[in-house]
Structure formats: structure tokens, C-alpha cells
Amino acid sequence: MTFRRSTLNHRHRDGHVLVWDQRDLDQTPKRFFATRYFVTFMLFLGMANAYVMRTNMSVAIVAMVNHTAIKTTDEEIVDECGDRDLPIDDSQDGEFVWSSSLQGYILSSFFYGYVITQIPFGILAKRFGSLRFLGYGMLVNSVFAFLVPVAARQGGVWGLCAVRFIQGLGEGPIVPCTHAMLAKWIPPNERSRMGAAVYAGAQFGTIISMPLSGLLAEYGFDGGWPSIFYVFGIVGTVWSIAFLIFVYEDPTVHPSIDEREKKYINDSLWGTDVVKNPPIPFKAILKSMPFYAILFAHMGHNYGYETLMTELPTYMKQVLRFSLKSNGLLSSLPYLAMWLFSMFISVIADWMISSKRFSHTVTRKLINSIGQYGPGIALIAASYTGCDRALTLAILTIGVGLNGGIYSGFKINHLDLTPRFAGFLMAITNCSANLAGLLAPIAAGNLISDQSKPIMGQWQIVFFIAAFVYIICGTFYNIFGSGERQYWDNPEGDEQKAALSNGANSSPARLSTPQAITATESRQ
């Protein structure tokens, strides 16, 4: 009874019973480069590759389209800022006559394949492990990148959409399987930093993809834009093979991990080894408001983020009138800011939690507010900057930079609610979020397709919609979000098993160590 009262008191403090009270938790292995850091690094590169494959089309399509031929009215698209002295885009027109609305459907075709594999892979990864689904999925994505130029030239719009759809299918496992692997490899008091480091790969991939895609489109082989898919296809293939060879599912099966690090990770992840394969509590999850808080925050983020990620190169060309070469470089600046800020704020978030001055719940909500209100306000401000290109770019850079707070906000919050089912939870929220996200390029493409209206006014509507989605969903998260481990993850059952296990051991020093739990269960 004393043990149970003690652990319940700790639960009310911060929602993680055995994490902060383990005696060996601060005795982390003193290796220069621990195995979990290598796994984090490989997952970071995998996320970067995934976002390279996702974003390179948004730059390539600017070079692929014959912009002169798609003008459907007698009037040209006028530069509404005719008094600007800055040079306008002088890049050559591409091979294809695709309207703005049709381009929106091409850009979104990737996400149709991406979203339908989220939940199936989340369930399969829970049962069979995440590593092979992630590695082979990204291999499919990378190999099919080589087919994009052939599909576009020989199959037209439908051929291109089919290949991009298959690439999306291959990329489907990346987020739920990454989340599931983080749950197995990363101790709770390192979640904000490591989670942000991995998911910051999205910005790193975008930073690499956009400027390099612009340069390849301008100077690359086979007509320029096809080289984008050949180069990144090779990079993705190499990563996929390396990941499958050098990374392991969890510390238990890793053949060369330091035993002290293995013990440190397993002791910290106190819920992971108690029940090997528990059933997913579907009904409890569907009744959980903290789950819906993450779901809506994720959906709002994806709509706003996909609006910027897929349409920013087009905005830079149509409104700000940057050349194709500088377009990719300047379009990547907001994501560089997001990458740097996400790493900085993740350290702050972990300090807030480990100092015990802020609960998990308060920390997640504060950091997430920066990550969703910041870009929402910036998008509203950018829609009023008009012809000032420098100010517009500066505001968008700051706004997207602040968006980096979401990684230490709702994005890592799945692991707080349920270490056991974090991958499955991420599969649900990421699937729903990308359903919302795939609407972004379609909505933007249709809004800016009417060339009889002022182009700046049309883009202002695009920005306003994305801003309000950010703000509304961020507010919902602040009302209903939580950082506490949920009852349906069965923390009470873990405590009872820990108490039962420790009853068979006379040493009080082992009172709250999951090693005893595992040892007892292995004998049963």
C-alpha cells in the first residue's frame, strides 16, 4: 500500500510515475556517441529524405509548366507592383500546359497515397515492428522517383499522378513508424530534444530540396527538372539500404549496444517491457479528449504547413517575381528558421519539464501555442505587405520559424499520453492531418486560377484561410490537451506488477526498476 500511495502521488505531480523516481536514471552511459543518438540521426535523415520527396515537385512544377501557354484570357497576368525596380522572373517556360487548378491536383496526388497507408502501417508496426516497414517503404518512394520524368512525358497528367501516388504509398510508414521507434529508443526526459531533432529533418529536407531543386531545374541534365528526381532518388535509395542494414528495432535486439545504455533506456521506458503486445484500446482512445486535442492541432498544422510548402514557390514566382534559381533558395529560408527554432525550443521544453517548474501539460500547451499562433499571425500580416518583397519574406520566415514549436508541442505529445500506443496514435492523427493537408494545394490552386481577379487579393484569401485554421485548431488544443499518461495505457497495471515483482526481492534499492518486472514475468 505504501508503494501504491507513493506512485499515485507522483502521478498527480507530472504524469510519469517511474521516470523521475528511478535511482539509476541520472546515471546515463558516458559514451561519446550512444546508440540511441545514432538511431535518432538515421531517423532524422529518413525524415529529411521523406520531405525532399514531398517538396521537390513543388519547385520542379514551376520549371515543368509553360506559363505563357496557360493564360486563358486576353489579358496578361499583370504585375500589380509595376513601380518595383527589382528584376522579374526571366526563366524559360517548361514543357507542359497545366492550369493552376490542375497543378494543385498534381501536387496533392502524392498525399492521396500517403494518407491511406497511415493507419494500416500504424497497426502493422505495433504487431510486427516498425523498422522494415519504414526502410522498405522509403525504398519504394526513392525508386519510383526515377520514374517521374518518364511518367510525365509519356503518361501526361494521369501518369505523373499515378507515380506520385505510389511514392506517397511508400512514404506512408515514415511518421507512425518513426514515432513507434522513438517510443522504444528514447527515454521520456529526452523526448522533446530527440523528437524535435528527428522531426526537424522535415525542415532540413525542405532546406536542401528547394534551393538544390531550383539549381538542378536551371542547370541540370535531361532538360533540367528531371535531374531533380534522379539525384534525390539516388540519395533516398542509399539511405534506405543503410537504414535496413545498420539500425535495429529496439535496444533489446541490438547486437552491439552498450549494456549500460540498454539498461538506461529500458529502465526509463517503464511501460514498454511490462506487456509485450497488449490489445489497442480503440474505444477508450476514441473517447479521449486529449487525443482529439492532438488530432485537431495536427490537422490545423498540416493544412497551414502544406499551403506554404507546396504553394510558396508559386507565390514567389507569381507575386514576388523571383527567378526560378533564387526562388528555391529564398523559399527555403522559412524552413531554415523553423529548423533552428525547433532545436532551440526543444531544449527549453525539456528544461521546463526536468526542472519540475512546469508540468508536461503546461509545457506542451505553451510551446504549441508559439508553434501555431505564430505562423497564423504571420500569414495574416504577410497578406497585407503588398509589394514589399523583403518585408513579406521576413514575416513569412519568422512565422514559419515559430512553427517549429509544434515538435515539442502536440507532435511529441502522443508519447506523453501513451508510450505503448504512440505509433498507432500518430498513425490516426497523421492520416487525418494529411487528409486536411491535401486539400491545401487544391484550395490554393483553385483560388488563384481566376486570372481576371487581382492576384494579390487571391493569395490574401489563401493566407487568411490557413491562418484561421492554425489559430482555431491551436486554441482547441489549449482547451483539451494534456501531458498526462492516460488511464487506457494501463499505468496502474504497471505499478501493480512492479510492486508484485519487488515483493519477491528483498533489496529496497530495486523498488521502482522495471528490470524486476521483466525478470518476474519471464519466469511466469
Side-chain angles (χ1 to χ4, degrees):
M1 293 297 294
T2 304
F3 171 82
R4 182 160 183 76
R5 281 196 299 271
S6 173
T7 52
L8 287 175
N9 287 338
H10 289 308
R11 175 182 315 289
H12 292 300
R13 185 181 63 213
D14 59 17
H16 291 267
V17 179
L18 301 180
V19 171
W20 307 116
D21 294 329
Q22 289 167 7
R23 300 174 187 272
D24 295 333
L25 196 59
D26 293 328
Q27 299 175 13
T28 56
K30 299 299 188 291
R31 292 180 62 181
F32 175 73
F33 193 75
T35 304
R36 68 186 184 281
Y37 299 154
F38 174 73
V39 173
T40 300
F41 177 66
M42 289 298 289
L43 290 173
F44 161 80
L45 292 180
M47 194 64 64
N49 272 294
Y51 271 74
V52 163
M53 296 300 181
R54 189 183 301 197
T55 58
N56 54 18
M57 178 58 76
S58 62
V59 176
I61 203 167
V62 178
M64 295 168 72
V65 169
N66 187 328
H67 299 277
T68 303
I70 64 172
K71 293 171 183 173
T72 56
T73 63
D74 294 332
E75 295 181 339
E76 300 254 334
I77 297 180
V78 204
D79 182 1
E80 296 172 48
C81 304
D83 57 339
R84 293 187 295 191
D85 295 329
L86 294 169
I88 63 171
D89 180 13
D90 57 356
S91 58
Q92 296 181 351
D93 282 323
E95 308 170 32
F96 306 101
V97 183
W98 295 332
S99 66
S100 294
S101 57
L102 191 56
Q103 292 174 50
Y105 286 106
I106 293 170
L107 291 171
S108 66
S109 61
F110 178 94
F111 297 97
Y112 288 102
Y114 181 70
V115 298
I116 65 174
T117 51
Q118 296 290 304
I119 294 177
F121 276 121
I123 296 173
L124 290 171
K126 183 71 183 73
R127 183 171 181 180
F128 299 108
S130 307
L131 184 135
R132 286 182 175 82
F133 289 119
L134 203 166
Y136 285 117
M138 283 301 297
L139 186 61
V140 168
N141 188 356
S142 303
V143 169
F144 271 83
F146 295 107
L147 301 180
V148 168
V150 176
R153 287 169 171 165
Q154 303 299 323
V157 171
W158 292 110
L160 177 59
C161 286
V163 170
R164 290 291 288 173
F165 175 81
I166 294 171
Q167 283 191 278
L169 289 175
E171 193 166 310
I174 184 72
V175 172
C177 290
T178 294
H179 229 56
M181 291 195 70
L182 284 172
K184 296 174 183 178
W185 276 98
I186 305 304
N189 58 332
E190 298 178 7
R191 279 176 187 162
S192 296
R193 294 192 303 276
M194 298 301 186
V198 168
Y199 287 107
Q203 280 66 59
F204 183 77
T206 306
I207 293 163
I208 295 297
S209 174
M210 285 189 166
L212 187 54
S213 295
L215 290 172
L216 288 170
E218 192 85 16
Y219 304 112
F221 53 90
D222 193 20
W225 64 266
S227 61
I228 296 172
F229 301 98
Y230 297 140
V231 169
F232 290 129
I234 292 172
V235 173
T237 301
V238 170
W239 176 86
S240 300
I241 295 171
F243 181 80
L244 290 167
I245 293 173
F246 297 113
V247 178
Y248 291 83
E249 183 71 33
D250 57 54
T252 306
V253 299
H254 198 290
S256 59
I257 185 173
D258 185 277
E259 287 299 322
R260 291 170 298 175
E261 183 183 10
K262 182 190 295 187
K263 181 180 184 299
Y264 169 64
I265 295 172
N266 288 335
D267 283 3
S268 302
L269 299 174
W270 54 277
T272 303
D273 290 331
V274 175
V275 179
K276 292 296 183 184
N277 193 21
I280 299 172
F282 293 101
K283 291 183 179 179
I285 291 173
L286 292 176
K287 293 178 182 178
S288 172
M289 287 310 295
F291 159 69
Y292 286 109
I294 296 175
L295 176 67
F296 284 106
H298 204 160
M299 292 175 69
H301 162 73
N302 266 49
Y303 185 90
Y305 187 77
E306 298 298 344
T307 296
L308 287 166
M309 189 172 65
T310 58
E311 298 299 328
L312 193 55
T314 303
Y315 179 76
M316 304 282 278
K317 178 183 174 65
Q318 283 190 353
V319 176
L320 302 184
R321 296 301 182 99
F322 287 108
S323 68
L324 183 62
K325 184 168 58 178
S326 60
N327 189 337
L329 177 63
L330 295 173
S331 295
S332 69
L333 286 179
Y335 303 100
L336 175 62
M338 186 174 178
W339 180 38
L340 296 174
F341 182 73
S342 68
M343 301 308 296
F344 165 75
I345 202 67
S346 68
V347 176
I348 302 298
D350 271 347
W351 171 83
M352 291 169 69
I353 292 171
S354 60
S355 69
K356 299 185 175 66
R357 298 181 184 182
F358 301 87
S359 68
H360 280 72
T361 301
V362 172
T363 300
R364 299 301 180 217
K365 289 182 178 181
L366 285 175
I367 303 298
N368 195 73
S369 294
I370 297 172
Q372 295 203 284
Y373 293 153
I377 295 169
L379 282 169
I380 295 173
S383 67
Y384 286 105
T385 53
C387 301
D388 194 329
R389 302 203 305 179
L391 181 59
T392 303
L393 188 59
I395 291 175
L396 288 175
T397 299
I398 294 171
V400 176
L402 293 175
N403 199 190
I406 61 104
Y407 295 116
S408 298
F410 80 81
K411 199 104 177 193
I412 208 67
N413 194 200
H414 307 71
L415 299 176
D416 297 325
L417 300 187
T418 169
R420 284 192 177 92
F421 310 111
F424 174 70
L425 222 64
M426 174 57 89
I428 297 177
T429 65
N430 201 49
C431 175
S432 305
N434 279 280
L435 284 171
L438 67 83
L439 296 175
I442 296 175
N446 282 282
L447 283 169
I448 64 177
S449 62
D450 188 355
Q451 298 172 12
S452 63
K453 296 180 181 178
I455 193 69
M456 282 190 178
Q458 293 168 291
W459 276 103
Q460 187 177 54
I461 296 172
V462 171
F463 284 173
F464 258 88
I465 293 173
F468 282 118
V469 170
Y470 262 130
I471 293 170
I472 291 170
C473 292
T475 302
F476 187 90
Y477 180 83
N478 283 339
I479 296 172
F480 297 106
S482 173
E484 301 289 323
R485 190 181 180 198
Q486 299 299 290
Y487 75 91
W488 37 267
D489 198 62
N490 195 27
E492 288 83 2
D494 294 340
E495 293 164 21
Q496 291 171 355
K497 291 184 181 183
L500 178 64
S501 172
N502 285 298
N505 295 283
S506 57
S507 173
R510 300 177 63 186
L511 185 60
S512 58
T513 340
Q515 254 56 20
I517 304 170
T518 308
T520 299
E521 290 190 329
S522 66
R523 294 193 296 268
Q524 293 175 349

